Amino acid sequence: MSSTNLFIRHAQILLPNGDFLIGDVLVRDRQIAQVAPEIAPPANSADYLEIDASGLTLLPGVIDPQVHFREPGLEHKEDLFTASCACARGGVTSFLEMPNTRPLTTNQQALDDKLERARQKCLVNYGFFIGATGDNTPDLLAVNPTPGIKIFMGSMHGQLLVDKEAALEQIFSQGDRLIAVHAEDQARITQRRQEFAGIKDPAIHSQIQDVAAALNATKLALKLSKKYQRRLHILHMSTGDEAELLRHDKPSWVTAEVTPQHLLLNTDAYAKIGTLAQMNPPLRSPQDNEVLWQALLDGVIDFIATDHAPHTLEEKAQEYPNTPSGMPGVETSLALMLTQAMQGRCTVAQVAHWMSTAVAKAYRIPNKGAIAVGYDADLVLVDLNTYRPVLREELQTKCGWSPFEGWQLTGWPVTTIVGGQIVYNKGKLDTNVRGEALQFDG
């Protein structure tokens, strides 16, 4: 597919050092060719599409490093096309997707199938994790391209549940590929499900899968990572206790992420939105919100992911505990975090670092995560001056709902650019644009 050459003018540009520059950006052949306070129109200006970005802020496109896009096998909830439309509307230009589809992504054949589906359907860039089963070690070592190995230590059933230390140690001890863990103690969850059986209030979910369940698993993963000096990433950290553990014991090869949900929602949400607030790991206390925020600001937590995990409203309308855990997030994550920045909780530069630059660094994705010459032109122009609500009827995700419905947010994307191609502009998607498979250096 031929790329578009762009001439972006008068934007507030976030530079790699965190400063802002009012200026121009020239995009040629999918890459950033020039960044300057003023760029003369190119000689062949007819070959360039000019964008007047006056009053808008130009950021590197979001890289969402944990999503569940449900294809193949669960397309009634979401598929790669609808999910990538939601990404484009939310300023997400690349995503890393998880292996719990049907069939599971546990070998090269399943990975190749997903890559081909994405090549045909995805409006944004894509990468796919390989899932550990406890007996597919040769596949874990051999498959490519993949950002890493996903281990479900809990909140899973079937082949992808790897909850015994011996099986986990076997995976940690072989190879050097990054391991990303869903850290919950399945034995504790199973025991507490029995203790709280019969309770229909979804708020009990946060007690069944409690702080100890998360902390136990994170401690075990950290122990094995240190034993083998194995690159470890802790997915969707939800508790202040885990953050404090890492504050005092975090090797240089360990990273962690947090979701906007665990920063901005807590157990009070059950009374307001019921099972729409149910996710794994669960929402925690307001105190956990505060500790996680501080850990993010201090660099103990490295970046942000959404854990976009959609279910239909019909599925969510069932009675707890028959309701599935998970909520959508790619459309609202950037606006949620930029709203926090505009309210003084953090800076716009920090948001871009957490949602793009740091992700590209951790997963060793070349030429992503910065507005600099030679980098891929994955960009988002946002409006930091206008507040608009999250409206169900505007959502592109197939599930059609958001836990943040009605929230007034700023920083909504005006224009999203993938590889120099405008995929979203002023409310309209170009569904002919296709992203590319992400590469991972090591």
Side-chain angles (χ1 to χ4, degrees):
M1 178 183 294
S2 61
S3 63
T4 302
N5 297 326
L6 302 177
F7 187 22
I8 304 170
R9 307 194 66 190
H10 313 305
Q12 180 176 250
I13 305 162
L14 177 63
L15 301 175
N17 66 0
D19 292 340
F20 283 95
L21 167 74
I22 302 292
D24 303 343
V25 174
L26 200 66
V27 172
R28 185 185 306 122
D29 297 331
R30 304 185 72 92
Q31 291 191 327
I32 297 167
Q34 193 176 352
V35 181
E38 187 173 1
I39 299 173
N44 54 338
S45 57
D47 295 336
Y48 286 78
L49 178 64
E50 185 171 319
I51 299 173
D52 182 0
S54 301
L56 301 177
T57 299
L58 187 66
L59 304 175
V62 172
I63 306 171
D64 192 331
Q66 194 198 171
V67 300
H68 301 264
F69 283 173
R70 307 304 192 196
E71 183 178 350
L74 297 163
E75 288 93 340
H76 70 282
K77 302 174 190 279
E78 189 81 278
D79 60 59
L80 288 167
F81 175 75
T82 59
S84 65
C85 287
C87 284
R89 180 172 178 261
V92 176
T93 54
S94 300
F95 65 80
L96 305 180
E97 206 258 354
M98 290 299 165
N100 55 326
T101 43
R102 298 178 184 172
L104 306 173
T105 318
T106 56
N107 55 42
Q108 188 70 52
Q109 181 181 358
L111 176 61
D112 288 344
D113 176 65
K114 273 192 176 176
L115 287 165
E116 177 58 23
R117 289 168 181 267
R119 187 187 68 79
Q120 294 181 28
K121 295 184 176 185
C122 279
L123 280 62
V124 302
N125 305 314
Y126 45 88
F128 299 99
F129 276 86
I130 185 77
T133 64
D135 59 6
N136 68 332
T137 303
D139 295 294
L140 300 182
L141 297 172
V143 298
N144 272 305
T146 185
I149 298 163
K150 168 68 179 284
I151 301 180
F152 288 90
M153 300 173 71
S155 292
M156 180 51 65
H157 52 80
Q159 286 182 284
L160 284 183
L161 177 63
V162 185
D163 59 342
K164 301 294 188 287
E165 185 169 348
L168 290 163
E169 183 153 9
Q170 181 184 16
I171 298 167
F172 273 84
S173 68
Q174 299 186 55
D176 58 5
R177 180 165 276 165
L178 178 144
I179 293 172
V181 294
H182 179 128
E184 289 190 279
D185 181 342
Q186 186 61 40
R188 182 173 178 85
I189 292 170
T190 301
Q191 171 201 332
R192 291 176 70 79
R193 276 184 186 151
Q194 294 168 355
E195 291 176 19
F196 294 100
I199 298 176
K200 308 297 186 185
D201 181 355
I204 202 69
H205 190 66
S206 292
Q207 292 186 51
I208 293 172
Q209 297 179 211
D210 65 351
V211 170
L215 185 61
N216 291 351
T218 295
K219 283 181 175 177
L220 175 56
L222 189 60
K223 180 179 88 168
L224 293 172
S225 172
K226 289 163 65 177
K227 181 174 181 178
Y228 295 102
Q229 295 199 8
R230 185 65 180 267
R231 287 170 66 205
L232 171 67
H233 179 64
I234 299 163
L235 298 159
H236 47 41
M237 182 169 282
S238 65
T239 74
D241 287 16
E242 292 170 282
E244 288 306 297
L245 170 68
L246 284 197
R247 184 179 292 279
H248 298 103
D249 186 9
K250 187 189 178 196
S252 61
W253 58 86
V254 173
T255 51
E257 73 187 27
V258 66
T259 70
Q261 301 93 286
H262 288 116
L263 293 173
L264 301 173
L265 299 175
N266 52 57
T267 48
D268 295 344
Y270 291 113
K272 298 170 186 171
I273 59 173
T275 55
L276 298 186
Q278 180 187 333
M279 67 175 294
N280 297 331
L283 300 177
R284 306 295 184 189
S285 71
Q287 174 65 16
D288 286 297
N289 293 150
E290 296 303 316
V291 177
L292 291 169
W293 260 110
Q294 196 58 53
L296 182 63
L297 290 165
D298 292 344
V300 174
I301 295 174
D302 299 87
F303 49 83
I304 287 168
T306 64
D307 191 23
H308 177 98
H311 302 282
T312 67
L313 285 165
E314 290 76 16
E315 290 167 332
K316 281 288 195 177
Q318 297 175 83
E319 189 175 56
Y320 185 86
N322 300 317
T323 42
S325 295
M327 55 183 74
V330 293
E331 274 175 274
T332 52
S333 58
L334 180 58
L336 282 165
M337 295 307 299
L338 289 174
T339 300
Q340 294 297 305
M342 298 309 288
Q343 292 172 358
R345 193 109 196 223
C346 55
T347 68
V348 172
Q350 283 175 311
V351 171
H353 176 77
W354 296 329
M355 300 189 75
S356 189
T357 312
V359 181
K361 178 183 176 184
Y363 284 105
R364 301 175 180 174
I365 307 171
N367 301 319
K368 304 283 187 194
I371 302 176
V373 173
Y375 274 67
D376 295 336
D378 297 335
L379 303 164
V380 58
L381 275 167
V382 300
D383 179 357
L384 293 172
N385 302 308
T386 306
Y387 280 77
R388 290 195 297 107
V390 179
L391 297 176
R392 184 174 289 191
E393 58 268 26
E394 293 182 357
L395 295 173
Q396 295 295 319
T397 175
K398 187 183 284 189
C399 73
W401 62 273
S402 167
F404 300 102
E405 189 173 350
W407 287 39
Q408 292 283 340
L409 304 179
T410 192
W412 288 102
V414 174
T415 306
T416 304
I417 299 164
V418 176
Q421 304 166 97
I422 297 175
V423 66
Y424 175 81
N425 188 51
K426 298 177 181 175
K428 293 190 178 352
L429 290 162
D430 183 347
T431 57
N432 294 311
V433 171
R434 291 295 176 267
E436 295 184 327
L438 296 170
Q439 300 302 311
F440 309 96
D441 289 347

